[in-house]
Structures are given as structure tokens and as C-alpha cells.
Amino acid sequence: MLETPSTILLFCFTLTVGCGGNKHLDCEKDYTSSLPNNNSGISKYVYQVSIDFESNKIHDTKLIYKYEIEDKYKEMIDDFVKQAETGIKSQLSKVSSLNITSNKTSDKAFEVVVSFDFSKLTASEKAALQLNKGSETYTANKKSLEQQNFTCK
């Protein structure tokens, strides 16, 4: 076989992308309008799902909870962060292999990021997360998230 630069480039591209291809899916849903009007202190709440696919199967996943608090509560941002982390840990308590981190993105905004390797989850953990709805493919997940009123890109 004659190895021309274009043949080598094509081979390298195939190795990088793989036969099934690697894809990334980012979907976001703004829950701000559904926040209670009972002075909760949260002025904005956005939920983002970020999924990496390898060979058209879910690989790494991040669930990103983005919050913004009212100006009058910005001195209490650390309390809001702790409360959000506790709530998320409780909500996802059936999933043991999670990595949960948080960071302040401004003096009145923060996010809590839950990440995990989907391939290492048990069947019951996958069911608890309700991410794949019976399928681990890019198309099925995108369709499922869009049916739940997420905006995907």
C-alpha cells in the first residue's frame, strides 16, 4: 500500500474519531419561571446535561446545576451552595459513583457539577438517573431530553 500524506491523515482521523464517532451533547433547561415566589432567595436556576459519547454510547456525563441568588442574599452565598449540594446529594443518593463539585461563578452565582463515568454505573444507578430511557445512543438521548423541553446543541 502506498502511504501518501492524505492516506496517513485519513488514518489518523479515523483513529481519532473512531468508527462510531465521538460526539458531545449539551442540553439546557431554564427552571427560573418555576421557582417559588416565597422569597427563596434564588433568582435564576438553569439545569444543564452534558454528555460525551464514544462509539455512539454514553461515556462521561455531567449534570450542571446553575444558580443565581438575589442581591440581598449574596453575603450568604456559601450557605446557598451548601444547601444546593446537600439537596442534590440527597436527590441522587441511589448513585454511589458520583463526583460532586461546586464553584462560585460570581458574588451571587454558583454551580454544582455532578460528573460520572456512565460505563461504570450499575443498572439500578442508570435507572435512578433516568438519562438513557432504555438507550445509550446520542440520538435517543437528544430526543428524550428535547421531549422534556431541554434545548440541545
Side-chain angles (χ1 to χ4, degrees):
M1 179 172 143
L2 181 61
E3 295 182 359
T4 64
S6 60
T7 306
I8 293 170
L9 184 60
L10 179 62
F11 178 72
C12 291
F13 179 76
T14 303
L15 281 178
T16 304
V17 175
C19 295
N22 294 342
K23 289 186 176 183
H24 182 79
L25 179 63
D26 273 320
C27 299
E28 189 172 274
K29 186 173 182 178
D30 191 333
Y31 283 93
T32 303
S33 63
S34 63
L35 288 171
N37 291 327
N38 62 0
N39 205 17
S40 68
I42 303 289
S43 60
K44 185 170 180 135
Y45 170 45
V46 175
Y47 179 54
Q48 182 180 351
V49 178
S50 180
I51 308 172
D52 288 325
F53 294 84
E54 289 184 5
S55 300
N56 205 27
K57 297 281 184 191
I58 295 174
H59 186 259
D60 290 321
T61 305
K62 287 183 184 176
L63 311 176
I64 305 163
Y65 302 80
K66 299 178 181 181
Y67 299 93
E68 203 169 289
I69 59 176
E70 296 173 18
D71 281 334
K72 64 183 176 182
Y73 294 111
K74 65 183 178 181
E75 299 299 321
M76 300 170 55
I77 192 166
D78 291 333
D79 295 328
F80 279 91
V81 172
K82 287 177 190 171
Q83 187 177 17
E85 284 179 345
T86 301
I88 292 167
K89 285 177 185 176
S90 174
Q91 184 182 22
L92 300 174
S93 63
K94 293 182 179 180
V95 185
S96 62
S97 57
L98 299 176
N99 180 28
I100 299 176
T101 59
S102 60
N103 63 312
K104 292 181 246 182
T105 55
S106 76
D107 64 342
K108 64 177 197 168
F110 66 95
E111 61 186 25
V112 179
V113 179
V114 178
S115 57
F116 53 90
D117 182 341
F118 193 82
S119 66
K120 295 180 180 174
L121 297 177
T122 66
S124 62
E125 289 175 324
K126 288 177 184 179
L129 289 168
Q130 299 177 348
L131 272 178
N132 66 342
K133 302 280 187 187
S135 175
E136 296 182 16
T137 67
Y138 174 90
T139 304
N141 278 276
K142 184 173 189 268
K143 181 179 177 182
S144 174
L145 288 164
E146 287 174 337
Q147 287 173 342
Q148 298 171 56
N149 297 317
F150 280 79
T151 301
C152 298
K153 45 182 171 164

